[in-house]
Amino acid sequence: MKQPLRKDLEPVAASFIVKELVEPHFDPNWHFHPHYQLFLVEKGTGTRFIGDSIKPFGPGDLVFLGPNLPHLWRSDQVYFDRQPGLTSDELTTRGIVVYFTEDFLGPDFFEKQEMAPLRQLLNQSRQGLEWMGPTRSQTATALKNLSKQPVGFQRVMSLLTLLNDLTRATDFRYLTSPGYTNTVKPAETDRMQLVHDYVLGHFPDDLSLDTVADLAGMTSPAFCRYFKARANKTFSEFVSEVRIGHACKLLMNGKLNITQISFESGFRTLSNFNRQFKDITGQTPSGYVKTYRRL
């Protein structure tokens, strides 16, 4: 892999960065950076990796990340394969992202008494936040307006207003587990990226721990210890969450029945699929579909 795990953004004269992303697929590299990041997916589907959280994503996905929290929006394989019959427009991903640092308005701005709600939001974002319900659509509109504003005072006010609105929203949930910390070092990029890429490319198959450990250049026991220390979960738990994340996307798509989805996602028995699905999501597959349809 050529890109380092730690990602540094290009310096700009403005106090913060707003970007409209229109690409064949989202950045496929597992990375982190010292900026806060507010990201809205407008178009595209895939699997979202944030810290030790693995979830499917689609249009409307709204996430706020604190500094140095590893993340990756991995587009579905179709965005890389360019299958015949799909137009380039159908395969395009689109999103709006805002980057800013803790001191983008001065070193002590968020320490002022009036900024207490915003300071709390920033602290919460270090665990990763996502919003559901009406906050998604309201924030999407605000981000679209923000992306069209020229650099200036009004744009700064618009960002602060947006963040202030998020402090009052209650339809959010944390993404990473309470005890998660980023223990990955930039020098370990290649190893973790190889593991991610291999699992994402082979999760429907019978994955061999020995094969993955060999890719990482380690013995199986050493790899298990290494992976658990950096991902805050075992390798088998990681694989299960990737498979269940894929199953969630297929359930939302509604084209296959539950038995078909279990096999498409790499499970060899329906009972094992149902058990792991409930362990990871807290719901049965049918219950998950009902919840999704109510959103």
Side-chain angles (χ1 to χ4, degrees), residues 41-102:
V41 175
E42 295 184 287
K43 188 174 183 180
T45 59
T47 303
R48 184 186 70 203
F49 299 81
I50 296 174
D52 59 357
S53 168
I54 303 173
K55 300 286 183 183
F57 73 81
D61 191 62
L62 176 65
V63 165
F64 186 34
L65 307 181
N68 300 318
L69 184 56
H71 55 273
L72 161 64
W73 275 259
R74 172 76 184 198
S75 299
D76 285 330
Q77 193 59 39
V78 67
Y79 291 89
F80 297 91
D81 291 344
R82 298 283 162 175
Q83 294 180 357
L86 291 175
T87 67
S88 58
D89 181 64
E90 288 176 302
L91 291 172
T92 300
T93 63
R94 190 170 68 242
I96 300 175
V97 62
V98 178
Y99 298 106
F100 61 91
T101 59
E102 184 112 41

Side-chain angles (χ1 to χ4, degrees), residues 30 43 66 79 90 117 120 149 157 201 208 211 220 235 280 295:
W30 173 244
K43 188 174 183 180
Y79 291 89
E90 288 176 302
Q120 181 179 12
Q149 288 182 307
M157 291 299 296
S208 165
T211 299
S220 294
F235 178 70
I280 291 171
L295 293 177

Side-chain angles (χ1 to χ4, degrees), residues 174-279:
Y174 292 102
L175 294 176
T176 65
S177 58
Y180 177 81
T181 55
N182 176 18
T183 60
V184 181
K185 300 175 182 177
E188 297 172 337
T189 304
D190 294 358
R191 185 174 287 166
M192 291 300 289
Q193 189 75 49
L194 280 171
V195 173
H196 274 85
D197 290 346
Y198 185 81
V199 171
L200 288 168
H202 297 83
F203 69 85
D205 309 322
D206 290 324
L207 286 172
S208 165
L209 175 61
D210 290 340
T211 299
V212 178
D214 187 58
L215 279 174
M218 308 174 79
T219 64
S220 294
F223 172 74
C224 289
R225 292 191 298 271
Y226 165 85
F227 191 88
K228 177 73 179 292
R230 283 148 185 82
N232 203 36
K233 65 185 70 181
T234 67
F235 178 70
S236 61
E237 288 170 340
F238 172 73
V239 172
S240 293
E241 291 187 20
V242 169
R243 286 172 170 165
I244 294 301
H246 181 69
C248 288
K249 287 185 289 185
L250 295 179
L251 285 167
M252 290 186 286
N253 187 267
K255 293 182 179 179
L256 300 176
N257 62 43
I258 291 175
T259 300
Q260 291 171 317
I261 288 172
S262 70
F263 285 99
E264 286 282 336
S265 303
F267 294 94
R268 297 297 168 253
T269 65
L270 183 59
S271 60
N272 186 35
F273 170 68
N274 287 331
R275 178 179 59 79
Q276 293 205 37
F277 193 96
K278 190 166 186 178
D279 285 346

